[in-house]
């Protein structure tokens, strides 16, 4: 497999990334591709602190990861967050997720972030292998979630 290009998302990626996010995070919910795409566009139009990275193979978006100020209301009053990491199932296990996390960490570090947070349901071991530390395991919406943190590296 060729190496993906990882860079900040732009308008050409929004619809494909919204479909990937919907299939991964919002399947079986009322959320639409249009709603998710609108949220991504708001993030892209922001002040540049928040960012959506995209991994592309050629011109095809195969993964994404976000840096956002706010995540899951109101479980924890912390900021900022690594959020929405997803890699198309056909391309998992090839290092794309790790590369997206590293790009997001580098962006955060370049903006002076000292501690970055995330929530995960199932990927605790993945993030721990990348140097993230467990803070707390808690329940929300009938799910068991882990709150994790790291010091972002450039």
């Amino acid at each position: 497999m060729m190496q993906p290009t990882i860079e900040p998302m732009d308008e050409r990626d929004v619809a494909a990334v919204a479909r990937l996010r919907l299939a991964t995070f919002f399947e079986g919910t009322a959320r639409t591709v249009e709603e998710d795409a609108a949220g991504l566009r708001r993030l892209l139009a922001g002040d540049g602190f928040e960012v959506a990275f995209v991994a592309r193979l050629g011109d095809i978006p195969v993964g994404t990861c976000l840096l956002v100020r706010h995540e899951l209301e109101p479980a924890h009053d912390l900021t900022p967050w690594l959020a929405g990491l997803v890699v198309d199932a056909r391309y998992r296990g090839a290092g794309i997720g790790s590369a997206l996390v590293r790009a997001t960490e580098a962006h955060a570090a370049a903006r002076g972030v000292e501690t970055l947070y995330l929530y995960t349901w199932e990927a605790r071991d993945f993030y721990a292998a990348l140097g993230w530390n467990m803070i707390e395991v808690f329940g929300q919406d009938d799910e068991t979630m882990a709150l994790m943190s790291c010091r972002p590296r450039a």
Side-chain angles (χ1 to χ4, degrees), residues 82 85 95 97-102 105 118 123-133 148-151 153:
L82 182 143
L85 173 65
S98 298
L100 284 161
V101 169
R102 294 294 186 228
E105 288 179 7
L118 66 78
R124 295 172 201 164
D125 293 341
F126 168 80
Y127 289 110
L130 293 175
W132 287 72
N133 301 302
M148 299 180 80
S149 71
C150 83
R151 293 187 62 79
R153 299 171 290 283

Side-chain angles (χ1 to χ4, degrees), residues 18 20-32 36:
L20 180 60
R21 287 170 42 84
L22 212 66
T24 303
F25 298 126
F26 304 109
E27 193 168 27
T29 71
R31 189 168 178 105
T32 66
D36 200 65

Side-chain angles (χ1 to χ4, degrees), residues 16 27 34 40 48 52 58-59 64 69 71 74-75 78-80 93 109 129 140 150 154:
E27 193 168 27
E34 292 75 19
L40 290 169
D59 289 336
T64 188
R69 286 185 176 94
E71 180 68 334
L78 303 168
T79 191
Q140 181 168 326
C150 83

Side-chain angles (χ1 to χ4, degrees), residues 15-55:
V17 168
R19 284 191 297 275
L20 180 60
R21 287 170 42 84
L22 212 66
T24 303
F25 298 126
F26 304 109
E27 193 168 27
T29 71
R31 189 168 178 105
T32 66
V33 169
E34 292 75 19
E35 288 170 330
D36 200 65
L40 290 169
R41 286 186 182 99
R42 281 191 299 276
L43 190 143
L44 295 179
D47 62 10
F49 178 85
E50 293 185 306
V51 66
F53 284 99
V54 63

